[in-house]
Amino acid sequence: MIRINSLLPVLAALLVLTACGAPAAKTPVTSPAVDGVRITSVTIPSAPAGPGSGSGVHADPLPVGDSGISAAYEVTNNGTEALAYTILFDFTTDGGQVMANTKETVRSVGPGATVRATVRLGAPGPGSSRVTRVKVSRVTKVPAAEAPPAAGECPSSGIRITADDGDAAMGLRVVGLHLENCGKRDYALDGYPVLELLDKDRSPVEGVRIVQGSGGITTGTGFDEPARPLVLKPGESAHSGLMWRNTTESGDVVDVPYVRVRAVRGADPVTVTPHLDLGTTGLLAVRAWTRPSR
């Protein structure tokens, strides 16, 4: 008689192979933390065995669009206030060539707390070389109370402010600021967003001139449209933008990783992370709040 207990280990192994696809190696990582973020292990599926390899182990292929590559990581807040972390992970080859990157957000890590999570590569890009490593490329962290809201979340202010990934051409950089009235009351705008430029320690950046309009940086971008009073009804939106050139000549190069934005003077701040590489120009243009073009 075959005992059921004796089959359990075999069944468990088959279930693991079926669920995960190709056999995967989970490798511990001992690299130091980057701004409080540390990768603890990386999981890389083994390369598929070729025909006639004699492996003896056969697994169902991974689902379409899933590489099976992932990294476990932890975020530790050594500060004195709750922080929201945005982390850029690079998926690389053995030689360090970046095949893809993924951005993860951990929305609230309390003082002295550690949060653990997993980042996944998903589908590799067409023609990508084999990914064997994952590293932390960049970390930005802002007070949790000032972090841009998650999708579908409306802050107590009733105003949702976010920044896009920006656009770049011929040394010209433009980042859009987007405002949505997600509350239940009308919201009045009259002019330009109020900006504070902050360095990596979130201290004020000196030596940068913020100009309303294009500031002569370029023309034809809409930045010189005059400011007009706007009243946004619930569900309506407005947008603004930041523009600069990262020209590098004589003088000190200025990088601004954080921008604290207020819709109007006295409003609750939202800190976005567009990473303004201003070069040596020391000039940042801001566009008036306008309604999106239809």
Side-chain angles (χ1 to χ4, degrees):
M1 179 181 295
I2 299 176
R3 296 182 179 276
I4 296 299
N5 288 345
S6 66
L7 294 176
L8 290 179
V10 176
L11 290 172
L14 289 174
L15 286 172
V16 169
L17 287 174
T18 301
C20 299
K26 184 176 182 179
T27 306
V29 176
T30 58
S31 300
V34 177
D35 288 339
V37 180
R38 186 172 73 87
I39 294 176
T40 56
S41 66
V42 174
T43 299
I44 307 289
S46 302
S53 65
S55 164
V57 176
H58 302 282
D60 293 338
L62 288 164
V64 174
D66 185 358
S67 66
I69 298 172
S70 65
Y73 66 95
E74 61 183 26
V75 181
T76 300
N77 179 3
N78 294 317
T80 58
E81 62 180 332
L83 297 174
Y85 290 73
T86 300
I87 310 146
L88 186 67
F89 293 93
D90 285 347
F91 293 81
T92 75
T93 63
D94 272 339
Q97 185 179 5
V98 177
M99 293 293 102
N101 48 49
T102 299
K103 186 182 291 185
E104 294 278 304
T105 299
V106 181
R107 297 214 160 261
S108 185
V109 183
T114 296
V115 173
R116 295 174 177 84
T118 300
V119 58
R120 304 182 187 280
L121 172 60
S128 294
S129 300
R130 178 169 168 75
V131 169
T132 58
R133 300 178 182 179
V134 186
K135 70 175 184 178
V136 177
S137 175
R138 186 174 69 236
V139 177
T140 54
K141 48 192 177 184
V142 303
E146 296 183 12
E153 177 183 300
C154 187
S156 59
S157 65
I159 297 300
R160 188 201 323 269
I161 294 178
T162 56
D164 60 31
D165 291 333
D167 191 14
M170 301 291 290
L172 183 68
R173 305 287 191 267
V174 179
V175 168
L177 298 177
H178 306 277
L179 182 153
E180 178 190 353
N181 182 357
C182 56
K184 299 179 179 180
R185 300 179 179 179
D186 292 355
Y187 195 86
L189 297 170
D190 187 7
Y192 298 80
V194 180
L195 308 177
E196 293 179 76
L197 308 185
L198 307 176
D199 64 17
K200 62 183 180 63
D201 298 318
R202 299 195 303 280
S203 297
V205 173
E206 305 293 340
V208 176
R209 186 163 60 98
I210 300 175
V211 297
Q212 296 178 346
S214 70
I217 294 176
T218 190
T219 58
T221 58
F223 270 64
D224 287 318
E225 293 179 8
R228 296 182 176 89
L230 299 176
V231 177
L232 302 182
K233 296 185 179 299
E236 291 185 336
S237 301
H239 67 256
S240 174
L242 309 176
M243 180 172 64
W244 71 98
R245 287 194 179 276
N246 67 340
T247 307
T248 302
E249 296 176 350
S250 60
D252 295 330
V253 173
V254 179
D255 287 322
V256 181
Y258 301 99
V259 180
R260 183 176 284 137
V261 182
R262 288 178 170 84
V264 296
R265 195 165 301 280
D268 292 341
V270 175
T271 299
V272 298
T273 56
H275 195 93
L276 312 182
D277 50 341
L278 300 180
T280 56
T281 62
L283 183 65
L284 177 67
V286 57
R287 183 177 183 176
W289 288 118
T290 59
R291 294 185 185 274
S293 56
R294 298 183 182 276

